[in-house]
């Protein structure tokens, strides 16, 4: 699935540019047809993101793209990765954004923002601010009724090609004006 990452309140661009995968071959196939960023979910450590950063360098060379043409977006999808944010050096100079999947934190009541999810989201927001990167939020409860990020500190939304912001658990909201 290809998704653009947009600033909350901005118009949806006319193209999609991000593929969500940790598989370098799937990323390469998406890049060959126009994707320019790869979203990698990380659960325990940042090894999948590090591997993808190397694969993106190789793909650029193989496809004749300029060095740095491909970006990496990290999605914190588990508590261990959230706790490692302050200790581990994040993936690479390719890092274009960081986000959190609240559904990756299977603690507390399903579909809500409980204390562990709130703390993890805060860690991601702080890491994004420290790295001067856009930060996005996804998962159940991630969107306010107005379609904006539900937790302070988050600046971006993950949307599909039709401009629908995703908050799994059945919530989809159009952000087209």
């Amino acid at each position: 699935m290809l998704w653009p990452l947009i600033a909350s309140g901005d118009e949806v661009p006319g193209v999609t540019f991000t593929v969500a995968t940790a598989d370098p071959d799937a990323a390469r196939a998406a890049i060959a047809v126009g994707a320019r960023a790869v979203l990698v979910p990380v659960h325990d450590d940042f090894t999948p993101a590090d591997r993808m950063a190397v694969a993106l360098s190789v793909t650029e060379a193989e496809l004749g793209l300029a060095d740095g043409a491909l970006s990496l977006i990290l999605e914190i999808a588990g508590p261990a990765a959230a706790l490692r944010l302050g200790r581990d050096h994040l993936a690479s100079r390719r890092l274009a954004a960081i986000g959190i999947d609240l559904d990756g934190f299977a603690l507390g009541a399903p579909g809500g923002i409980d204390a562990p999810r709130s703390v993890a989201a805060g860690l991601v927001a702080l890491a994004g601010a420290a790295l001067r990167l856009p930060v996005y939020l996804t998962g159940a409860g991630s969107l306010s009724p107005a379609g904006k990020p539900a937790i302070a500190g988050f600046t971006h939304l993950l949307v599909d090609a039709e401009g629908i912001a995703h908050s799994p658990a059945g919530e989809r909201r159009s952000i087209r004006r």
Side-chain angles (χ1 to χ4, degrees):
M1 174 176 265
L2 300 175
W3 295 323
L5 181 71
I6 62 161
S8 179
D10 281 358
E11 287 292 321
V12 178
V15 298
T16 58
F17 56 88
T18 304
V19 61
T21 184
D23 177 9
D25 291 331
R28 187 181 193 293
I31 290 163
V33 296
R36 290 298 175 256
V38 177
L39 183 149
V40 177
V42 290
H43 297 273
D44 298 318
D45 62 33
F46 296 101
T47 302
D50 293 335
R51 284 187 191 129
M52 185 61 72
V54 171
L56 292 178
S57 291
V58 171
T59 299
E60 283 173 346
E62 289 174 347
L63 297 177
L65 299 172
D67 184 35
L70 303 175
S71 299
L72 183 64
I73 298 172
L74 290 186
E75 181 167 280
I76 304 303
L83 292 173
R84 295 180 73 102
L85 277 170
R87 293 182 299 176
D88 289 355
H89 177 67
L90 295 178
S92 75
R93 62 177 173 74
R94 295 183 181 285
L95 192 57
I98 186 171
I100 185 169
D101 173 11
L102 295 176
D103 292 336
F105 295 79
L107 307 170
I113 301 175
D114 55 15
R117 288 181 180 107
S118 182
V119 168
L123 291 171
V124 171
L126 286 171
L131 295 167
R132 297 181 183 191
L133 292 173
V135 289
Y136 74 90
L137 186 65
T138 190
S142 65
L143 297 177
S144 71
K148 305 281 185 205
I151 298 175
F154 287 85
T155 57
H156 285 65
L157 300 171
L158 202 58
V159 300
D160 65 18
E162 287 80 41
I164 306 296
H166 284 270
S167 181
E171 246 181 283
R172 288 172 40 117
R173 291 195 172 84
S174 175
I175 59 171
R176 287 200 189 270
R177 294 184 187 150

